[in-house]
Amino acid sequence: MPETTKIQSVAILGRGALGVMYGDFLTPRMPEGSVYFLADDKRCTRYREQSLTANGRPCSLLFESPEEVNKVPDLLIVALKGPALKSALQGIKGLISENTIVISVMNGISSEDIIEEELGTHRIVHCVAQRMDALFQNGMLTYKNFGELVIGLSPEHKDIPEVLDAVVDFFNRTEMPYVVDENILHRMWCKWMLNVGVNQTLAVYNDVFRRVHQEGEARETLKAAMREVLTLSQKEGTGLTEQDFRDYLQIIDELNPDGMPSMRQDRLAKRPTEVDFFAGTVIQKAEKHALPVPVNRKLYDEIKSFEARY
């Protein structure tokens, strides 16, 4: 994409909390029809029939199947849950061109690699969605904090600065809250460390944030799972430090005590979790370095066990 080209159309993949939040934010800030959700025909029919609200007000979003879209999107925002990623990408493969820029707001550190492999694109801006508290249930999106997107180019993508420039220009035009981070992989590993700890622990203990705010077995499990990521980071060269560990533990301690992370919500709804993006990836990477990660192995086994009982 030439430097002078502006992002004029946005496709969103994933109609969950973040997808709806960003779709609701961008739709009134762009020309009619230029922001749309991609889904197969069956899902489009279902989504169009369901009324949506955002913080209590009606939320009107556009849903299109890949066959209905007559123009390649300039930007694709991927806001799926991990288990749905590969099949969803395969369904839109023919729609994404070599000029489409892709941003993933998904959890974990591996969605960008999967997107690059499945779509055959190098035009990826790495991203961390942070500081939001969006919840989406029964067509109702609620949030107090919209948060911000932290964006940057990984070392493998530094040769395409014009892609980041285009996203920065787009975010400025639409007033999307964002921060550019020169070391985006470090930031992604920080959030991954947080999620490996809090998401998985509260899924296993089947409880709210208050459980890990208090001293006890659950909090020790959370800290131990995070420390395994800290050690792994030193082997992988992604630079996590003791200060990062303390800072992100503090972030967990400031979360609403009565709230819950997405994996605990998945357990309550009997949905597949993102354990493969968390403990599964920890285990896979640790094996390369012959690094023991017993806490994440235990969390992985326990989460797979309750998933099997759905």
Side-chain angles (χ1 to χ4, degrees):
M1 181 180 288
E3 288 187 41
T4 54
T5 300
K6 290 183 180 292
I7 292 171
Q8 304 284 10
S9 59
V10 180
I12 300 173
L13 194 58
R15 197 207 60 154
L18 292 188
V20 172
M21 188 174 77
Y22 295 131
D24 176 64
F25 178 87
L26 292 171
T27 295
R29 290 170 168 80
M30 294 187 67
E32 186 175 353
S34 60
V35 179
Y36 53 89
F37 285 74
L38 285 172
D40 59 40
D41 287 325
K42 194 172 179 181
R43 283 190 174 88
C44 280
T45 299
R46 189 168 78 247
Y47 293 161
R48 288 164 185 160
E49 291 173 351
Q50 184 178 24
S51 61
L52 298 175
T53 61
N55 282 341
R57 56 180 171 72
C59 175
S60 181
L61 302 175
L62 180 63
F63 298 96
E64 303 278 4
S65 70
E67 295 75 23
E68 293 171 317
V69 177
N70 53 24
K71 185 182 177 185
V72 172
D74 297 327
L75 176 67
L76 173 67
I77 298 175
V78 181
L80 294 159
K81 286 294 189 73
L85 180 59
K86 283 193 176 184
S87 61
L89 291 173
Q90 289 164 4
I92 66 163
K93 214 176 247 186
L95 184 63
I96 304 305
S97 83
E98 60 183 15
N99 291 324
T100 303
I101 298 171
V102 185
I103 288 178
S104 167
V105 296
M106 293 175 60
N107 285 323
I109 56 169
S110 55
S111 65
E112 286 83 2
D113 293 338
I114 295 169
I115 290 166
E116 191 158 4
E117 182 180 338
E118 291 293 330
L119 297 184
T121 180
H122 190 59
R123 305 179 76 77
I124 294 176
V125 173
H126 282 58
C127 177
V128 175
Q130 66 177 22
R131 304 187 190 281
M132 70 287 298
D133 54 10
L135 183 64
F136 184 61
Q137 292 178 313
N138 302 316
M140 295 180 290
L141 170 71
T142 56
Y143 60 89
K144 289 183 179 177
N145 301 303
F146 185 84
E148 64 188 5
L149 296 177
V150 184
I151 56 173
L153 296 176
S154 74
E156 293 77 21
H157 297 80
K158 292 287 188 185
D159 59 332
I160 47 171
E162 68 275 9
V163 171
L164 179 60
D165 293 342
V167 173
V168 167
D169 170 72
F170 174 67
F171 284 175
N172 285 335
R173 284 188 285 120
T174 57
E175 302 179 312
M176 175 72 75
Y178 76 95
V179 176
V180 175
D181 193 321
E182 292 298 321
N183 191 354
I184 190 64
L185 292 189
H186 173 262
R187 183 71 69 101
M188 292 176 72
W189 271 68
C190 284
K191 187 176 180 187
W192 186 51
M193 175 175 65
L194 176 150
N195 274 318
V196 164
V198 73
N199 238 311
Q200 299 189 125
T201 299
L202 287 176
V204 166
Y205 284 85
N206 207 17
D207 212 334
V208 295
F209 290 121
R210 182 180 288 102
R211 181 68 173 270
V212 293
H213 290 170
Q214 303 164 346
E215 292 302 328
E217 183 182 285
R219 184 173 177 85
E220 290 307 307
T221 298
L222 175 150
K223 289 162 66 175
M226 289 175 63
R227 285 207 169 277
E228 288 181 354
V229 175
L230 178 62
T231 304
L232 179 61
S233 169
Q234 291 155 5
K235 298 286 188 182
E236 290 274 309
T238 51
L240 292 188
T241 65
E242 278 292 328
Q243 187 61 51
D244 292 324
F245 176 85
R246 290 192 294 271
D247 288 348
Y248 278 77
L249 189 61
Q250 180 65 34
I251 289 172
I252 292 170
D253 288 342
E254 292 170 358
L255 295 169
N256 177 2
D258 295 316
M260 68 180 79
S262 60
M263 282 181 70
R264 203 268 170 134
Q265 295 174 45
D266 291 335
R267 179 173 184 175
L268 291 176
K270 293 183 166 49
R271 292 188 298 255
T273 73
E274 294 186 296
V275 66
D276 289 309
F277 277 61
F278 296 141
T281 304
V282 172
I283 293 165
Q284 182 185 37
K285 289 185 175 296
E287 285 175 347
K288 292 190 304 182
H289 305 287
L291 187 69
V293 285
V295 177
N296 273 282
R297 286 188 181 276
K298 184 178 180 183
L299 288 169
Y300 183 88
D301 290 343
E302 291 182 355
I303 292 167
K304 286 294 185 181
S305 175
F306 74 64
E307 284 184 345
R309 296 194 300 271
Y310 286 167

